[in-house]
Amino acid sequence: MQGSRLGEQVSRDGSANASDMPGSKQAWTFDTTRIKGLDQSNTLEIKLRVLFLGVSIVLLHLAYDMPELLAWYGLRMGYLVFYFLVVSHLPDRITLGQTIALAVVVLVDGFFYVGLAGYFWMQEQPIFIVYAMAVISTAMITVVWVRAEEPFLWICDTVAIGCVLLALPFLHHAMGRSMLEAWLLAGTFSLITIYFVLGLWSVWRSRIDFRRRQKLEMERTKVEAMGRLTGGVAHDFNNLLTVILGNIELSRLSDEPRERDALLNEAEAAGKRAAVMTAQLLGASRQSILTRNTVELSEIMRSAESFLSRLLPSSVRLVIRKMRDPVPKLHLDANKLETVIVNLAINARDAMPNGGTLTMNTG
């Protein structure tokens, strides 16, 4: 059951994209967007790992006179640059053959680092055995901390870690230790590997469940906001229609031309306000056509303020401040700018689940 779920998740997130033409042959592809998002060379986590690894290698060389470690670190950094170049140039979807090639690149990267544990193990000194376990432990922590988000990465890393762990008992026996001791080590490391895989599986499932719940919460928030918005808009439209219909009816009953014109002008003004409100709704739904005009930012903010008062919950207080210096007139689509302001307000609202004050400045 768990294996089928993993297969469904991989298929849903990164594979099995077939042509829609009837009778066409399905072409298996793999989505690499999450891999490119996780493995980026400019992230702080990667820079810290490279720094700490380099410092530890230099310290080991100074303490034990091991120039081979410096050579390993140089090769390691060279391959790491190659790895990041490969990942950064990946297309969003790759074929089966490209996926296998990417798996080989990831596996070699894992063996390159975890294989250092085998070198330490062969030094036949207790302190180096501790170093070997430290290398494997840091590799496991990195997988759980960073790469558990993507099954493709943590499966490849788990294969590399498991192979090195199971190879250590054979190295132990090759160095002259008894077969019984080697088998005891093999059993211990096998249990460690199984426990690590089960823990990693649990972390991955927890993150999948968290993303699902987060998505549901976002959808619930959107529905709640739309309910408040539609309720407020319906109320405002009802008021405008009352003004329009009432003034038209009164104009029919009036015998004074001046009074009738005033009533019709008021009905016309209410109709224009209804048109502006419709344009705002079309802009928010991205259904309007781009129309550039010269507008005053203060007018846009006043219009957006009335719109946001219906959209934001009562726990969020909206404050719009004007700077002392006047703002030049802008040449743009007013509805699009209002949409930007509304989106900024919605993001701020989501960042304040317990309420607060949303301040907007113009300047």
Side-chain angles (χ1 to χ4, degrees):
M1 179 63 70
Q2 290 179 338
S4 63
R5 289 176 182 173
L6 175 60
E8 292 173 2
Q9 182 66 29
V10 172
S11 176
R12 182 167 57 252
D13 291 345
S15 62
N17 186 21
S19 174
D20 294 332
M21 295 296 293
S24 63
K25 186 178 179 180
Q26 292 185 350
W28 192 96
T29 58
F30 181 77
D31 187 1
T32 62
T33 53
R34 193 180 302 168
I35 295 177
K36 292 190 289 185
L38 291 174
D39 280 352
Q40 297 180 2
S41 59
N42 59 347
T43 59
L44 178 61
E45 180 265 336
I46 292 292
K47 294 176 180 178
L48 289 176
R49 273 199 285 163
V50 170
L51 175 62
F52 292 156
L53 181 61
V55 171
S56 61
I57 290 298
V58 171
L59 292 177
L60 284 174
H61 168 64
L62 295 176
Y64 301 103
D65 190 20
M66 304 175 73
E68 60 271 20
L69 288 180
L70 298 178
W72 173 87
Y73 183 75
L75 293 174
R76 168 66 180 158
M77 291 301 101
Y79 190 84
L80 200 61
V81 171
F82 166 75
Y83 175 79
F84 285 131
L85 287 175
V86 170
V87 171
S88 62
H89 288 83
L90 282 175
D92 289 340
R93 304 198 72 89
I94 57 178
T95 63
L96 178 59
Q98 292 172 325
T99 304
I100 295 174
L102 178 61
V104 172
V105 172
V106 176
L107 282 171
V108 171
D109 178 67
F111 280 119
F112 215 132
Y113 176 72
V114 187
L116 183 62
Y119 170 79
F120 284 139
W121 196 274
M122 294 176 62
Q123 303 306 309
E124 301 188 54
Q125 296 183 32
I127 187 62
F128 286 107
I129 293 178
V130 174
Y131 291 152
M133 292 296 98
V135 169
I136 294 175
S137 299
T138 54
M140 290 181 171
I141 292 173
T142 301
V143 174
V144 176
W145 177 24
V146 179
R147 299 160 78 92
E149 192 77 14
E150 170 54 45
F152 180 85
L153 291 177
W154 65 254
I155 289 175
C156 292
D157 290 341
T158 301
V159 169
I161 294 172
C163 289
V164 171
L165 269 177
L166 296 179
L168 292 182
F170 296 98
L171 291 176
H172 200 71
H173 178 64
M175 292 185 298
R177 305 301 175 89
S178 65
M179 180 62 71
L180 177 61
E181 190 174 350
W183 278 110
L184 289 175
L185 277 176
T188 302
F189 290 159
S190 297
L191 293 176
I192 292 175
T193 303
I194 294 172
Y195 182 80
F196 171 67
V197 171
L198 293 177
L200 191 55
W201 173 267
S202 178
V203 170
W204 179 71
R205 292 302 304 170
S206 298
R207 293 188 180 183
I208 292 296
D209 185 64
F210 172 77
R211 286 202 302 270
R212 182 181 62 83
R213 293 177 183 272
Q214 189 180 44
K215 184 177 180 180
L216 290 176
E217 179 63 20
M218 291 177 62
E219 293 296 331
R220 186 195 66 80
T221 305
K222 289 179 182 179
V223 171
E224 182 181 349
M226 287 302 300
R228 287 196 302 268
L229 178 61
T230 54
V233 170
H235 179 73
D236 289 347
F237 262 112
N238 183 62
N239 293 338
L240 292 173
L241 288 175
T242 301
V243 172
I244 294 172
L245 295 176
N247 282 282
I248 292 175
E249 184 66 24
L250 290 174
S251 68
R252 290 174 177 173
L253 299 177
S254 177
D255 295 331
E256 293 291 333
R258 183 177 298 177
E259 182 181 0
R260 187 166 53 248
D261 290 341
L263 292 171
L264 290 176
N265 288 335
E266 188 174 347
E268 182 183 8
K272 290 180 178 179
R273 290 197 298 271
V276 171
M277 188 179 298
T278 302
Q280 289 177 335
L281 293 174
L282 290 173
S285 62
R286 295 181 175 87
Q287 298 296 322
S288 61
I289 300 175
L290 184 65
T291 304
R292 295 184 179 182
N293 295 305
T294 302
V295 298
E296 293 278 357
L297 182 58
S298 57
E299 297 178 1
I300 299 297
M301 296 301 294
R302 282 197 298 270
S303 177
E305 183 177 9
S306 62
F307 195 72
L308 292 175
S309 63
R310 297 186 295 267
L311 183 63
L312 297 175
S314 58
S315 60
V316 176
R317 186 170 69 95
L318 178 63
V319 177
I320 295 182
R321 297 174 179 172
K322 295 182 180 179
M323 306 299 288
R324 292 183 179 179
D325 296 333
V327 180
K329 291 185 178 181
L330 307 176
H331 185 65
L332 45 75
D333 190 307
N335 294 327
K336 296 299 183 182
L337 179 58
E338 288 184 2
T339 302
V340 172
I341 296 172
V342 169
N343 287 333
L344 290 174
I346 292 176
N347 290 339
R349 177 205 64 190
D350 294 341
M352 299 185 293
N354 298 323
T357 300
L358 171 58
T359 304
M360 291 187 174
N361 295 330
T362 60

